[in-house]
Amino acid sequence: MKAKQISVMVSLSLSLLALAACKPDAPVAETPAATADASATPGQDAAEPAYPTRAYFGDTHVHSGWSGDAGLDGATLSPEDAFRFARGEQVKSNTGQMAKLKRPLDWIVITDHSDGMGTINEIRAGNPEMIADPFLKRMYEAMNGDDQEEAAAATLELINRQSTGNLPKQLMDPRWMVSAWEKTAQIADKYNDPGKFSALIGYEFTPNPGGGNNLHRNVIYRDGADLAVQELPLTSFQTMDPEKLWEWMEKYEAKTGGKLLAIPHNGNLSNGRMFEETTFTGGPMTKAYAESRQKWEPLFELTQTKGQSESNPVLSPTDEFASWDLWDRGNLNGAAKKPEMLRTEYWREALKSGLRLEAALGVNPFKYGANAATDTHTALATGDEDNFWGKFVGAEPSATRWKPVMIGAGQPGQIYSWEQAASGYTGVWATSNTRAAIWDAMKRRETFATTGPRMSVRFYGGYEFTDADTADLVKAGYSKGVPMGGDLKSAPAGKAPVFLIAAMKDPDGANLDRVQVIKGWLGADGKTQEKIYEVKWSGDRKVGADGKLPSVGNTVDLTTATYTNSIGATELVTAWSDPDFDPKLKAVYYLRVLEIPTPRWTAYDAVRYKVKMDKNVAMIHQERAFTSPIWYSPN
């Protein structure tokens, strides 16, 4: 059955979509869902409209069994399997179950670790050079045995050794990478189908300084294999300094004529290092540093399987929706986190700090748009709660997958498997489904992050918008303002910025609760502040004197893991002006869109497998989306 074509233009109502309650069926679903229509502007070529008219959904962070930690844990699926699965084909999972997305993705990036690239298959095959090392021999035995606990223990040891610089020399020998990288790039070329499915080339640069402080970056190519293979990926064996990665990227572009960008991810496991206000080596930030960081890193991964890095209740105590998917107890190895580390781990705080640093340096080093990804290590990119295949092989669907400890076993900050998030996907507003158009959208930050649902969100800022512009919001947005990811220059005298806002529900998902504008600004005193505005919501609720909006309600039935769309709205559209605007102050704005409450993946598992989980296991949540910001500068 072909996907229904549903326009993303906000003038089209979704009120006729009467959606049934979600049911806890087996993780395989057969029917692709509705996607947005790529209608072109009149007079423009249908393949390349004047401006983006469709959101394309994909995943920027997927590991196959070719990544060392994934392969050691038992993942056997290849990059080919990952591409086939993402484009909608059914594959046999690493545990022998049949897996299929309910809806194909539009694009995907396979980002196997550059560290040890090409070595995992050599170890699995028992290459004598590899298994001469005692640890690598244990890896070989774990991969070829049936003891899942032994494999998990070896995986954790591998991560610890990598983060502490204690890996066997065989794993760090770059000669193993040559063939593996060529094959990786060629496989992406094979599955790239312009106009239908974009298979982008990428890898993960994986520095874990200080014994597990996560400073990983996913490097994404605009190019094909002919350019990508001309330079081997950078590894953390060579350097853990992000500045060295940017230098490597510049060298690649100069040598090949190609284009690269990097996406830092899940700063919540960096123990304060992701947005520290010094260089990696502890030196002062400079204008040149800020320019490089902004040039090479346009997006930040603010939600993925290992929790969220949007904000934290400690940083945003008045934000009632800041406490979700929190992994804030330690770093990647479980080393305890100190409270003062939180400020330099989260996206919202970094957006505010960037305004302050820009005032001092002349350039904003933290000018990050919104990105979400799965970070799956199974090759199965699943962001749906009722079809979630976990991060590692041991978390593929089973009656017991909620129980184990994932990080920091035996430590006060240990993280349990049930705390995994079925998150997330990135929506890009691109002019076509091609590598170049998808990459270009990411580069200009015209993106939004979701925890999994494929809702569509538009966000424009300008000084000439009126309420009437919501009737043709997209045309007005591009012709009279700037889209998400853009910059508003100094306001004309007597004017405040107006924002055009549109959110449309996932056609196969839950209704919408509300849309919020989250604002950060730099006060005249040099201190940063934030405020959350309720700008559009479902039903006849009213914002109270405290600025809070009453709850939308809850239709979830945990005995059946279902919900109904009897509450909420199918779309929320408005024009909103900042009532507290001060034209002299730097500011940053982004949208947060919340769905009505729905069952979490744990609730689906509880019903599917008829298991009773501990009372502290989260069963209900509110899925959400975040747009890239719009920045205002008085200069």
Side-chain angles (χ1 to χ4, degrees), residues 72-93:
L72 177 55
D73 190 61
T76 57
L77 298 188
S78 70
E80 288 210 48
D81 297 313
F83 283 126
R84 289 178 50 237
F85 180 79
R87 70 182 191 178
E89 295 182 36
Q90 183 169 279
V91 303
K92 183 177 288 188
S93 82

Side-chain angles (χ1 to χ4, degrees), residues 66-201:
W66 289 15
S67 281
D69 52 353
L72 177 55
D73 190 61
T76 57
L77 298 188
S78 70
E80 288 210 48
D81 297 313
F83 283 126
R84 289 178 50 237
F85 180 79
R87 70 182 191 178
E89 295 182 36
Q90 183 169 279
V91 303
K92 183 177 288 188
S93 82
N94 303 280
T95 54
Q97 304 177 69
M98 299 312 297
K100 185 178 180 181
L101 286 173
K102 292 195 299 181
R103 294 169 283 181
L105 292 171
D106 298 306
W107 56 271
I108 197 171
V109 193
I110 308 303
T111 54
D112 282 318
H113 296 294
S114 59
D115 285 8
M117 182 175 285
T119 62
I120 194 67
N121 292 333
E122 298 294 327
I123 297 169
R124 181 181 288 114
N127 182 316
E129 184 176 346
M130 291 291 178
I131 63 174
D133 177 85
F135 170 62
L136 298 184
K137 185 176 181 181
R138 291 202 305 277
M139 285 181 61
Y140 164 75
E141 292 169 348
M143 283 190 287
N144 289 280
D146 297 323
D147 190 332
Q148 186 63 43
E149 289 188 7
E150 181 182 348
T155 302
L156 291 174
E157 183 179 354
L158 174 67
I159 294 170
N160 181 265
R161 281 171 170 262
Q162 187 266 353
S163 65
T164 56
N166 189 30
L167 285 172
K169 65 180 186 301
Q170 293 95 318
L171 282 181
M172 297 185 284
D173 189 335
R175 65 190 168 95
W176 303 108
M177 181 189 289
V178 177
S179 175
W181 178 238
E182 289 178 352
K183 291 177 182 176
T184 294
Q186 291 163 0
I187 289 170
D189 275 9
K190 174 182 176 181
Y191 285 91
N192 189 52
D193 191 1
K196 296 181 180 179
F197 179 79
S198 293
L200 285 84
I201 297 170

